[in-house]
Amino acid sequence: MLKIGILGLGTVGSGVVTIINKHNQAIKRKVGTELKIEKILVNEKKKKREVEIDPDIITDRAEEILDNPEIDLIVELIGGEEPAHQYILKAIENGKSVVTANKLVIAKYGSEILKLAREKEVQVSYEGSVAGGIPVIRPLKESFAANRIEEIYGILNGTTNYILSKMTREERDFAEVLQEAQDLGYAERDPSSDISGSDAAYKIAILSSIGFETTIDVNQIFVEGIDTIELEDIRIADELGYVIKLLAIAKRCEDGLDIRVHPAFISKEHPLALVNDAYNAIYLHGDAVGDVMSYGQGAGQMPTASAVVADIIQVGRGIYHNKPEITIIDSTNDHKVKQINQVENLFYLRLQVNDKPGVLAKITKVFGDNQVSLASVIQKHKLTPVVPIVLVTHRVKEEYMIRSLEQLKQLNDVIAINNLIRVVEL
Amino acid sequence: MLKIGILGLGTVGSGVVTIINKHNQAIKRKVGTELKIEKILVNEKKKKREVEIDPDIITDRAEEILDNPEIDLIVELIGGEEPAHQYILKAIENGKSVVTANKLVIAKYGSEILKLAREKEVQVSYEGSVAGGIPVIRPLKESFAANRIEEIYGILNGTTNYILSKMTREERDFAEVLQEAQDLGYAERDPSSDISGSDAAYKIAILSSIGFETTIDVNQIFVEGIDTIELEDIRIADELGYVIKLLAIAKRCEDGLDIRVHPAFISKEHPLALVNDAYNAIYLHGDAVGDVMSYGQGAGQMPTASAVVADIIQVGRGIYHNKPEITIIDSTNDHKVKQINQVENLFYLRLQVNDKPGVLAKITKVFGDNQVSLASVIQKHKLTPVVPIVLVTHRVKEEYMIRSLEQLKQLNDVIAINNLIRVVEL
């Protein structure tokens, strides 16, 4: 028998309990022995639960699990930074293997945790931390082990993808769709971690650390959220053959790693453009395998629980047969992450200018002076004194683009710079 | 040091050697020790090779590898049934682990091979046997281990998908596109195994054996190829909102397993409809994870070699650390595969009839008599004595459809039955 302790009985925790109960026999066959939930840590012991649980195994004292010599495997599903981080370290210190879905803790403390796990000869698995039920961490480590991973593109946040899809399909404003997403439970009451892109940044930090065999500090990742995206940008993107997605990017370049999260114009023809609603996708390029994409439900109770229980089975099997999986994540490569101003992109720029002769000439001169070459300029005829202009540049380093913008702002006839969005060539 | 022997130095074999040479250091880090190619079996020792290889390690005698006590791991890349099958058994008998990309041998002799491997306590991996570089076998065994797999849909043959994509996009005939594919090397000189669907049948036999934890006899799988698909069918499919794909299907039903390979109308809106050219895709539904799709290059030298070398690394790591992966493929479930005549589908039927009053009434009466209900009937106006009619049925058991067809053939005014294609609701 393999005894496990679960920390946290929220949405994912309840899903894990449900799967373990439902697929009891199949799991036993796969682990080699019966899986028994010995203890579950909760905040409030008396709270009503969506799953039926023997009250005797519920505890509100973490030490009853972390220091319990009966328990071989700890499943951390509290989320957030602390106390999850300290609980994981304590579990490992006590010689227990750990399964977690905590992207924040793995992104921030992954190398510390994995180092300790190697010392203590226990296993740590975290498939559920990125892209819910879509297999991505194990494939990166194992299935693509023969490849040099060159590029990873991800739609890694379901909430923002839901909002952008809905804005696009229904031609509605950001604020309105966000409100509806909150009412329906697709977005949290405080949606800032999703909207700002930081949730996706944790996830791409984890994926790029594995894919590039290095340790990526999440603070080095440039992050921009979707709250500045207006319906007008989505409409123009559509006219130009693009959709707007919150894209997580990790690329090897000659002069460092290019890792970032921001809204991006991507071609409608690319498979990632078709990933809508709360779905997630990972598109990667390896030198042998070429392009591979996986897509599925990147969050939610059962998909995430699916990944967590798969980890429990895999780690549990290793414990039971006394053959722990060999974790090989060497931070062999000490890469630097490129500053965003050194990264090259095409850019989409939308601005408002006075409709006067010579204005366009002044604007294009600013770009010319800063080595920014324009691919297209769209000025729609309007019978108003102020008219919108949309520009798309050729490939150019961001610093030249930013310098151009600063100079544009100095021009009297430039009334407003509405939005600047990177166009990513996939 | 881990010494391996490779059987076969064709396209994939050369790719494997290339990757091992190129990523020597990374592979060493991942296996834990250096990987050395000790011997390679070839047909003709003197033949010119696309990769540079020390002539001393080339042999044309299989026993120099199979009976070599220095070699711990045999990589079988000869393909075909014999002698590959016997070589694999011999290697296992001699206590060696095996990596293979041989779909035919695994589909036909998988349970025999895995049983022997368990007895001899060696590992057998075969990720390269299905869908080239797309991770599918390992995810089915591990990443989706917490799921009951309900349905698997695959586009598993690159050659037929290339032909159908090209017919669709360029409005060209089957024979012409096949010829071009052969000239370009995308189709073999004898393309029958691809065109007939039997290649895809081997692959879905392997996937369903794993997904449903049983042993699927490939001879029980209904197979129909794409050689009867005419450009006219593709055009009509397009008008009706479908594309035609060679689909491999494996579904759990209440009365058995529904496993088959045949051309199918699938909705243009479904992600599988967008998988074009030589790309492969696997779309599956698990009870926890929901729908997940993976897509990528399903064949070809480097993608397949990517999967083979990943297996070599994984198995090699187990050998070196004396911690072989625990293979758990229990044929616990003794399912029966449903006869195709018991399977329900919608059907598309194209036929030629005399343009006379009352003909359509006679035809619809035949369907009515056989419990086949029609979803749509399209009769295009033509100024010819014989006119085409296209019918799409509602969901109906195949035996009723076949019976209707037999009766239709008896009608004097039915000149020809051009094609019957299943419509698969995804």
Side-chain angles (χ1 to χ4, degrees):
Chain A
M1 185 179 292
L2 185 88
K3 294 182 178 173
I4 69 172
I6 299 178
L7 309 176
L9 191 58
T11 311
V12 177
S14 305
V16 166
V17 173
T18 303
I19 294 179
I20 290 176
N21 290 341
K22 182 177 174 194
H23 292 319
N24 195 276
Q25 285 310 305
I27 291 171
K28 181 179 172 182
R29 213 162 52 234
K30 289 171 185 174
V31 175
T33 186
E34 199 184 326
L35 202 67
K36 181 164 181 268
I37 301 174
E38 184 76 6
K39 282 276 175 200
I40 304 177
L41 176 70
V42 298
N43 266 328
E44 292 175 54
K45 283 177 75 172
K46 301 249 158 109
K47 194 171 151 187
K48 192 143 171 55
R49 309 282 165 191
E50 59 170 295
V51 282
E52 208 172 304
I53 291 168
D54 175 2
D56 289 351
I57 69 167
I58 299 279
T59 178
D60 53 9
R61 291 160 31 89
E63 56 272 30
E64 281 189 28
I65 297 179
L66 298 172
D67 297 334
N68 189 331
E70 295 277 300
I71 292 175
D72 295 310
L73 171 57
I74 303 277
V75 184
E76 185 280 305
L77 299 169
I78 304 171
E81 191 160 342
E82 297 298 351
H85 168 225
Q86 291 307 324
Y87 286 172
I88 290 173
L89 292 178
K90 180 77 176 161
I92 299 171
E93 283 287 359
N94 288 346
K96 301 179 196 314
S97 288
V98 172
V99 167
T100 177
N102 194 320
K103 57 190 172 271
L104 196 158
V105 167
I106 293 297
K108 273 195 160 171
Y109 306 107
S111 50
E112 173 199 17
I113 289 169
L114 295 172
K115 187 164 166 284
L116 186 63
R118 265 196 297 270
E119 280 170 32
K120 296 287 174 182
E121 294 183 347
V122 299
Q123 303 169 74
V124 174
S125 279
Y126 46 94
E127 182 68 64
S129 65
V130 181
I134 311 171
V136 49
I137 289 173
R138 199 170 285 277
L140 262 179
K141 287 186 191 165
E142 297 177 0
S143 305
F144 303 127
N147 286 262
R148 180 181 153 98
I149 303 295
E150 306 284 0
E151 299 175 345
I152 305 171
Y153 297 98
I155 294 175
L156 299 177
N157 181 274
T159 305
T160 47
N161 202 48
Y162 175 87
I163 292 172
L164 290 173
S165 302
K166 212 142 170 102
M167 286 174 73
T168 305
R169 201 167 40 219
E170 300 177 6
E171 304 221 336
R172 288 164 65 196
D173 277 324
F174 173 77
E176 194 186 325
V177 173
L178 171 60
Q179 182 62 56
E180 189 182 284
Q182 286 174 308
D183 294 344
L184 291 168
Y186 291 134
E188 315 234 358
R189 232 142 358 139
D190 173 7
S192 54
S193 155
D194 295 316
I195 301 301
S196 68
S198 75
D199 174 85
Y202 289 126
K203 293 168 178 170
I204 195 72
I206 295 172
L207 296 186
S208 51
S209 294
I210 300 168
F212 302 150
E213 295 179 88
T214 183
T215 302
I216 301 297
D217 176 359
V218 72
N219 296 312
Q220 288 184 287
I221 299 177
F222 173 80
V223 185
E224 193 178 285
I226 66 159
D227 48 332
T228 58
I229 303 297
E230 295 177 26
L231 185 53
E232 186 64 12
D233 300 313
I234 288 178
R235 284 193 182 129
I236 297 170
D238 181 63
E239 279 177 35
L240 298 172
Y242 296 98
V243 292
I244 301 180
K245 293 287 180 193
L246 181 68
L247 209 60
I249 299 171
K251 284 166 73 175
R252 289 188 201 261
C253 302
E254 280 178 21
D255 53 346
L257 297 176
D258 172 13
I259 309 180
R260 49 196 158 109
V261 173
H262 56 69
F265 274 41
I266 64 172
S267 163
K268 274 184 201 176
E269 307 293 318
H270 194 275
L272 281 175
L274 305 164
V275 176
N276 285 318
D277 302 317
Y279 277 79
N280 278 20
I282 294 96
Y283 192 97
L284 65 81
H285 183 89
D287 64 346
V289 77
D291 294 329
V292 181
M293 182 168 111
S294 290
Y295 112 116
Q297 292 177 55
Q301 179 177 45
M302 296 315 282
T304 307
S306 163
V308 170
V309 178
D311 273 354
I312 294 173
I313 291 171
Q314 197 74 5
V315 172
R317 186 193 295 175
I319 295 171
Y320 177 68
H321 291 92
N322 203 17
K323 285 174 181 163
E325 283 194 280
I326 306 126
T327 319
I328 301 166
I329 311 164
D330 282 315
S331 298
T332 47
N333 301 307
D334 191 18
H335 282 301
K336 81 174 213 300
V337 177
K338 287 172 74 169
Q339 294 292 316
I340 190 71
N341 66 3
Q342 296 304 304
V343 172
E344 287 187 356
N345 280 296
L346 286 67
F347 288 89
Y348 151 93
L349 176 68
R350 179 163 64 88
L351 61 173
Q352 308 282 335
V353 303
N354 284 326
D355 191 11
K356 292 203 301 201
V359 172
L360 202 55
K362 283 183 200 161
I363 291 171
T364 51
K365 181 171 184 306
V366 167
F367 285 112
D369 290 347
N370 288 293
Q371 304 171 50
V372 179
S373 122
L374 298 175
S376 61
V377 179
I378 304 165
Q379 182 178 356
K380 287 202 178 159
H381 183 68
K382 284 211 176 180
L383 293 171
T384 47
V386 174
V387 293
I389 292 186
V390 170
L391 304 163
V392 179
T393 73
H394 283 294
R395 206 173 166 73
V396 62
K397 224 178 236 181
E398 183 142 337
E399 61 179 355
Y400 299 128
M401 195 62 201
I402 298 302
R403 201 180 303 155
S404 307
L405 283 198
E406 280 158 10
Q407 294 172 18
L408 283 183
K409 284 179 195 162
Q410 309 301 319
L411 297 180
N412 285 333
D413 290 321
V414 172
I415 306 301
I417 292 181
N418 298 103
N419 220 340
L420 177 74
I421 303 175
R422 295 166 193 86
V423 179
V424 174
E425 298 162 295
L426 293 166
Chain B
M1 185 180 293
L2 185 88
K3 293 182 177 173
I4 70 172
I6 300 177
L7 310 175
L9 191 57
T11 311
V12 177
S14 305
V16 167
V17 173
T18 302
I19 294 179
I20 291 176
N21 290 341
K22 183 177 172 193
H23 292 319
N24 195 278
Q25 286 309 306
I27 292 172
K28 180 178 172 182
R29 212 161 53 232
K30 289 170 186 177
V31 175
T33 185
E34 199 184 326
L35 202 66
K36 182 164 180 267
I37 301 173
E38 184 76 5
K39 282 276 175 201
I40 304 176
L41 176 69
V42 298
N43 267 328
E44 291 175 56
K45 283 177 73 170
K46 301 249 158 109
K47 195 170 150 188
K48 192 141 172 55
R49 308 283 165 191
E50 59 170 295
V51 281
E52 209 173 303
I53 290 168
D54 175 1
D56 289 352
I57 68 167
I58 299 279
T59 178
D60 53 10
R61 291 160 32 89
E63 56 272 30
E64 282 190 25
I65 296 178
L66 298 172
D67 298 335
N68 189 332
E70 296 278 299
I71 292 175
D72 295 310
L73 171 56
I74 303 277
V75 183
E76 185 279 305
L77 299 169
I78 303 170
E81 191 160 342
E82 297 298 351
H85 169 225
Q86 291 307 323
Y87 287 173
I88 289 173
L89 291 178
K90 180 77 176 160
I92 298 171
E93 283 287 359
N94 288 347
K96 300 178 196 316
S97 288
V98 172
V99 167
T100 177
N102 194 318
K103 58 192 170 268
L104 197 158
V105 167
I106 293 296
K108 273 194 159 171
Y109 306 107
S111 50
E112 174 199 16
I113 289 169
L114 294 173
K115 188 164 166 284
L116 187 63
R118 266 195 298 269
E119 281 170 33
K120 296 288 175 181
E121 295 183 345
V122 299
Q123 302 169 76
V124 174
S125 279
Y126 46 95
E127 182 68 64
S129 65
V130 181
I134 311 171
V136 49
I137 289 172
R138 198 171 285 278
L140 262 179
K141 287 186 192 166
E142 297 178 0
S143 305
F144 302 127
N147 286 263
R148 180 181 153 98
I149 303 294
E150 305 285 359
E151 300 175 345
I152 305 172
Y153 298 98
I155 294 176
L156 299 177
N157 181 273
T159 304
T160 47
N161 201 48
Y162 174 86
I163 292 172
L164 290 173
S165 302
K166 212 144 170 101
M167 287 174 73
T168 306
R169 200 166 40 219
E170 300 176 6
E171 302 222 337
R172 288 163 65 195
D173 276 326
F174 173 77
E176 193 185 324
V177 173
L178 172 60
Q179 183 61 56
E180 189 183 282
Q182 286 174 310
D183 294 344
L184 291 168
Y186 291 134
E188 316 236 355
R189 232 143 357 140
D190 173 7
S192 54
S193 155
D194 295 317
I195 302 301
S196 68
S198 75
D199 173 85
Y202 289 126
K203 293 168 177 171
I204 196 71
I206 295 172
L207 296 186
S208 51
S209 294
I210 300 169
F212 302 152
E213 295 180 88
T214 183
T215 302
I216 300 297
D217 176 358
V218 73
N219 296 313
Q220 289 183 286
I221 299 177
F222 173 80
V223 184
E224 194 178 285
I226 66 159
D227 48 331
T228 58
I229 303 297
E230 295 177 27
L231 184 52
E232 186 64 12
D233 300 312
I234 288 177
R235 284 191 181 130
I236 297 169
D238 181 63
E239 279 175 37
L240 297 173
Y242 296 99
V243 292
I244 302 180
K245 293 287 181 191
L246 181 68
L247 210 60
I249 299 170
K251 283 166 73 175
R252 288 187 202 262
C253 302
E254 279 178 22
D255 52 345
L257 297 176
D258 173 12
I259 309 180
R260 49 196 158 107
V261 173
H262 56 69
F265 274 42
I266 64 172
S267 163
K268 274 184 200 175
E269 307 293 318
H270 194 274
L272 282 174
L274 304 164
V275 177
N276 285 318
D277 302 317
Y279 277 80
N280 279 20
I282 294 95
Y283 192 97
L284 66 81
H285 184 88
D287 65 345
V289 77
D291 294 329
V292 181
M293 183 169 111
S294 289
Y295 113 117
Q297 291 177 55
Q301 180 177 43
M302 297 314 283
T304 308
S306 163
V308 171
V309 177
D311 272 354
I312 294 173
I313 291 171
Q314 197 73 4
V315 172
R317 187 193 294 176
I319 295 170
Y320 176 69
H321 291 91
N322 202 17
K323 285 174 182 165
E325 283 192 281
I326 306 125
T327 319
I328 300 166
I329 312 166
D330 282 313
S331 298
T332 48
N333 302 308
D334 191 18
H335 282 301
K336 82 173 212 300
V337 176
K338 287 172 74 169
Q339 294 291 317
I340 189 71
N341 66 4
Q342 296 304 303
V343 172
E344 288 187 357
N345 279 296
L346 285 67
F347 289 89
Y348 151 94
L349 176 69
R350 179 163 63 88
L351 62 172
Q352 308 282 334
V353 301
N354 283 326
D355 191 10
K356 291 204 301 201
V359 172
L360 203 54
K362 282 183 200 160
I363 291 171
T364 51
K365 179 170 186 307
V366 166
F367 285 113
D369 291 348
N370 288 293
Q371 306 172 48
V372 178
S373 122
L374 299 175
S376 61
V377 179
I378 305 165
Q379 181 177 357
K380 286 201 178 160
H381 183 67
K382 283 211 179 182
L383 293 173
T384 47
V386 174
V387 294
I389 291 186
V390 170
L391 304 164
V392 179
T393 72
H394 283 295
R395 206 172 167 73
V396 63
K397 224 178 236 180
E398 183 141 338
E399 61 178 356
Y400 299 128
M401 194 64 201
I402 297 302
R403 201 179 304 155
S404 308
L405 283 197
E406 280 158 10
Q407 294 173 17
L408 282 184
K409 284 179 194 159
Q410 308 301 321
L411 297 179
N412 285 331
D413 289 320
V414 172
I415 306 302
I417 292 182
N418 298 103
N419 220 339
L420 177 75
I421 303 175
R422 296 167 192 85
V423 179
V424 175
E425 298 161 297
L426 293 166

